[in-house]
Amino acid sequence: QVQLVESGGGLVQAGGSLRLSCAASGRTFSIYKMGWFRQAPRKGREFVARITWSGGNTQYVDSVKGRFTIARDNAKSTVYLQMNSLKPEDAAVYYCASGRDDRSWHDWGQGTQVTVSS
C-alpha cells in the first residue's frame, strides 16, 4: 500500500496560482502513475491530471489544459500540481491518487481544499 499526503491548498483570488504537493510513502516502488482528482460540493469526483512515474507522460482534463501542470520528483516521491489562472469553478477538494497499473487507482490521499474567490 502507498500512503499519500497532500498539502498546498488554500484560498486564492480568481486569476491567482497555487501549487499542490503530494508526498508518497510506503510501497512507492509499485507506483505506475500518480494523479489529481477534485470534488466540488454536490458534484462527483472529477479527474484532473495524471503522470506516469517512469516516463513522465501526462494527461489533463480539457478544462485545465494550458493552466495546470502536473510534475513529479521521483527522488522525493512527490507529485505536484501547479495551478495558474484559477477560476471559481476550480474550487474543490483536491485528492491525490496513485495506481499500480494504467487502468486503476489504488490509493488516495485525504484531500486538500482549494477555494477561489471571484
Side-chain angles (χ1 to χ4, degrees), residues 14-27:
S17 298
L18 279 176
R19 188 177 81 155
L20 306 183
S21 300
C22 174
S25 61
R27 300 173 63 88

Side-chain angles (χ1 to χ4, degrees), residues 8-12 18 20 36-48 64 68 81 83 86-95 110-117:
L11 171 64
V12 64
L18 279 176
L20 306 183
W36 291 93
F37 291 74
R38 64 187 180 187
Q39 187 166 17
R42 298 175 298 280
K43 292 188 177 181
R45 190 168 294 189
E46 175 189 36
F47 165 78
V48 176
V64 308
F68 291 12
L81 185 68
M83 305 186 294
L86 281 160
K87 304 176 181 180
E89 52 263 43
D90 293 319
V93 177
Y94 281 71
Y95 296 91
Q110 80 287 353
T112 186
Q113 178 73 50
V114 172
T115 303
V116 184
S117 63

Side-chain angles (χ1 to χ4, degrees), residues 38 46-49 59-67 87:
R38 64 187 180 187
E46 175 189 36
F47 165 78
V48 176
Q59 292 181 13
Y60 299 90
V61 68
D62 286 348
S63 60
V64 308
K65 287 181 180 177
R67 300 188 298 122
K87 304 176 181 180

